[in-house]
Amino acid sequence: MTAEDAVTADGLVASSLPAVFLPAPLPRDGRIAFYDPEGADVPPESGDARRTELTVVRPHGARVRRRTVPALTLPVDEALPLLVRARHDPAAHPATACWGAAALHALRLTARG
């Protein structure tokens, strides 16, 4: 996947990339990181989107190996629309769809008070 493939028509990160939550000392400062497990490049920084590197663990035969991959991080509030849409996107990565379901559940709980 190229950096161009990782961006949707509306400029958002593609839901086909896996997502992971990056906690912060203050919970409101946590971010959602999108990365390509194969190490392909991610979209460029824009707005509050920041590039970083993540260390991920990938299967390698009967063992696993660590790999550092580029990632694009978004604040949770900016990642929410993408995550919520990913729940019903058949092309979405399972991790991204799962974070979307969790985000929607959290929004419902918040709406209930």
Side-chain angles (χ1 to χ4, degrees):
M1 177 179 291
T2 66
E4 292 79 29
D5 296 334
V7 180
T8 62
D10 54 1
L12 293 174
V13 177
S15 61
S16 60
L17 295 176
V20 63
F21 178 68
L22 303 176
L26 292 174
R28 67 177 171 263
D29 291 337
R31 296 178 72 86
I32 303 290
F34 296 91
Y35 66 97
D36 185 335
E38 301 305 321
D41 203 11
V42 294
E45 291 185 1
S46 66
D48 286 335
R50 300 283 176 252
R51 290 178 67 124
T52 189
E53 290 189 339
L54 294 178
T55 301
V56 296
V57 177
R58 301 276 302 154
H60 185 77
R63 302 179 140 201
V64 294
R65 284 202 177 155
R66 290 185 297 173
R67 181 177 197 175
T68 301
V69 295
L72 188 71
T73 66
L74 296 171
V76 174
D77 62 332
E78 287 189 25
L80 276 175
L82 173 90
L83 295 174
V84 170
R85 278 197 307 268
R87 314 177 353 270
H88 295 299
D89 182 357
H93 189 277
T96 305
C98 182
W99 278 113
L104 186 61
H105 184 66
L107 289 171
R108 286 181 178 149
L109 290 174
T110 303
R112 288 183 187 172

